[in-house]
Amino acid sequence: MASEIDQIADYLEQHKNEILDRWRDAARAESEQTERLAKMDDRELLDHLPALTEALIQTLRGKEKKSLVEDDARRHGHQRRLDGYSVVDVLWELTMFRRVFMAVLDEASAAVIDWILVEGSTTILDLMDLCARTSIEQHVKETERERDSAASRAGSLEAQRQQFLGTLSHELRNQIQPILFGLQRLKDSDPTAYQLRAVEMIERQTRHQSFLVEDLLDLSRTEIGKIELRLSLVRSQRVR
């Protein structure tokens, strides 16, 4: 059995470039992925699929452990997330890769390929599934970590916004009272009718600004839980 596995590994080694070519042909046949494939450059193609292929071949030869295949799959999931791939895109790519790899493997051996053992009771099929699962898990883990980090930053920014509004409201209110006091002193100083109209106009606008500042303070108090709403029933009046 060992010699036959070595022959299969040799066959895969000789045809590993064909695996990539077949993968591209199979991808072109998928209409939903044609546009993405057209945008993929050689770096995207050559970064990880050949690395996974080589890792699988060396594992068949007994020169590489399953954990190293997982490492390659994690790097694949990490890079695909950076490239903007969704989980569905990653799953599609690895499913296509698995299909092509197994087709070439089937051509290498006339026997049923399920029996090929890699480590203990692990078969080559298990190893292919492990690649897909590990890559997707890495993609999802990094996505969730990025989401949690963004949520934490958003929470921090919200706390800063509330603190800013509270401080600003207090500072504005502190400026309004001296202005109203000065206007009252001007009204008491026997101003002319023209001056009185100007003073009253300033007073109206200042009091209006005071109402707006109080609304900001109420909003700030509500957000930090310093305002308690007391609910009560009121008698409604019919409008005739």
Side-chain angles (χ1 to χ4, degrees):
M1 182 184 297
S3 60
E4 185 171 355
I5 292 178
D6 288 338
Q7 291 176 2
I8 293 174
D10 291 340
Y11 183 90
L12 291 173
E13 183 75 37
Q14 296 168 5
H15 293 79
K16 58 185 179 182
N17 291 331
E18 181 183 344
I19 292 175
L20 184 59
D21 291 337
R22 286 196 188 186
W23 181 86
R24 297 197 69 166
D25 291 340
R28 288 193 181 96
E30 298 285 338
S31 58
E32 293 182 0
Q33 299 293 336
T34 301
E35 184 177 354
R36 175 178 288 280
L37 181 65
K39 296 178 181 179
M40 292 176 65
D41 56 24
D42 289 340
R43 181 195 60 79
E44 287 185 291
L45 282 173
L46 298 177
D47 263 356
H48 295 288
L49 293 185
L52 288 175
T53 303
E54 186 64 29
L56 290 167
I57 293 172
Q58 294 306 318
T59 302
L60 276 175
R61 296 183 185 278
K63 297 180 179 180
E64 188 163 346
K65 297 297 183 182
K66 185 169 63 176
S67 59
L68 297 180
V69 176
E70 290 182 276
D71 291 341
D72 279 330
R74 289 191 188 95
R75 283 192 289 270
H76 176 270
H78 169 73
Q79 185 60 48
R80 287 305 186 241
R81 189 188 70 84
L82 294 181
D83 291 338
Y85 278 51
S86 68
V87 172
V88 174
D89 292 331
V90 177
L91 180 60
W92 170 85
E93 180 184 33
L94 291 175
T95 299
M96 191 70 64
F97 174 67
R98 180 183 187 275
R99 186 187 308 168
V100 171
F101 189 92
M102 300 308 289
V104 175
L105 185 60
D106 189 38
E107 294 170 4
S109 173
V112 179
I113 58 178
D114 292 22
W115 61 264
I116 301 178
L117 293 177
V118 178
E119 287 185 8
S121 61
T122 301
T123 67
I124 191 67
L125 285 172
D126 297 328
L127 205 58
M128 294 294 297
D129 291 341
L130 177 65
C131 286
R133 185 171 65 251
T134 303
S135 178
I136 292 173
E137 285 177 351
Q138 184 67 25
H139 186 289
V140 171
K141 184 195 306 182
E142 293 185 12
T143 301
E144 291 179 346
R145 188 185 305 136
E146 184 176 335
R147 180 202 61 198
D148 293 342
S149 177
S152 177
R153 290 196 301 271
S156 177
L157 290 174
E158 176 62 18
Q160 293 176 25
R161 183 191 68 83
Q162 294 179 5
Q163 182 179 8
F164 171 75
L165 282 179
T167 302
L168 176 64
S169 302
H170 282 289
E171 291 298 324
L172 290 175
R173 187 173 63 172
N174 291 339
Q175 303 301 319
I176 288 175
Q177 293 306 317
I179 294 174
L180 292 175
F181 177 76
L183 291 172
Q184 186 61 45
R185 293 293 300 269
L186 288 175
K187 292 171 68 175
D188 294 341
S189 64
D190 195 21
T192 64
Y194 178 79
Q195 291 173 333
L196 182 60
R197 285 197 301 273
V199 169
E200 290 176 343
M201 180 185 68
I202 296 173
E203 184 179 17
R204 284 195 304 272
Q205 297 302 318
T206 303
R207 291 192 183 280
H208 179 66
Q209 184 179 9
S210 177
F211 294 146
L212 294 177
V213 170
E214 288 300 326
D215 288 342
L216 280 176
L217 281 172
D218 288 343
L219 176 62
S220 177
R221 295 189 190 105
T222 302
E223 289 178 339
I224 62 177
K226 288 189 175 182
I227 287 183
E228 180 180 355
L229 299 179
R230 296 180 180 177
L231 305 179
S232 62
L233 298 176
V234 296
R235 184 183 298 274
S236 62
Q237 295 181 350
R238 292 184 177 180
V239 179
R240 295 181 180 180

